[in-house]
């Protein structure tokens, strides 16, 4: 798994999670590069207010447990990373 923290205030994720993770808005935005895998036995919790920016052809493959905990007032958002012209069909989704 690759994890990069930047002074500009964002986090990049790709590869396979090695352990349970909780993402919160302090890491915003989270850039998903390529495919991020949540393997069997691993939990990924995405808390309210998290912003995910998806690269073209990126996605989240869930073999373990994924919990997305957004609220109407503070939703979790998925959007293109800014370099994608056409959002529809540009990422692999959550499988």
């Amino acid at each position: 798994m690759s994890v990069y923290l930047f002074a500009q205030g964002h986090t990049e994720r790709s590869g396979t999670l090695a352990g349970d993770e909780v993402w919160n808005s302090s890491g915003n935005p989270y850039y998903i590069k390529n495919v991020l895998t949540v393997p069997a036995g691993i939990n990924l919790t995405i808390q309210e207010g998290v912003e995910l920016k998806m690269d073209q052809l990126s996605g989240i493959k869930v073999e373990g447990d994924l919990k997305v905990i957004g609220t109407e007032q503070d939703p979790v958002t998925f959007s293109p990373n800014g370099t994608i012209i056409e959002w529809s069909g540009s990422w692999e989704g959550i499988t």
Side-chain angles (χ1 to χ4, degrees):
M1 176 185 72
S2 300
V3 177
Y4 306 96
L5 299 175
F6 294 88
Q8 294 87 2
H10 72 268
T11 306
E12 291 189 10
R13 293 281 202 256
S14 67
T16 301
L17 296 181
D20 293 348
E21 292 194 19
V22 177
W23 296 358
N24 59 51
S25 60
S26 67
N28 279 345
Y30 289 80
Y31 286 87
I32 307 302
K33 306 287 187 179
N34 302 307
V35 175
L36 175 70
T37 300
V38 181
I42 299 297
N43 301 299
L44 172 59
T45 302
I46 303 174
Q47 295 183 334
E48 64 275 354
V50 169
E51 302 168 9
L52 290 98
K53 304 285 188 176
M54 310 304 294
D55 256 9
Q56 189 167 12
L57 302 179
S58 67
I60 300 174
K61 182 178 179 183
V62 181
E63 298 166 348
D65 191 34
L66 173 65
K67 295 178 184 161
V68 180
I69 308 169
T71 65
E72 187 174 340
Q73 296 78 23
D74 209 4
V76 172
T77 59
F78 294 80
S79 61
N81 73 2
T83 62
I84 298 172
I85 303 292
E86 177 64 39
W87 177 234
S88 177
S90 65
W91 69 298
E92 300 296 314
I94 300 171
T95 58

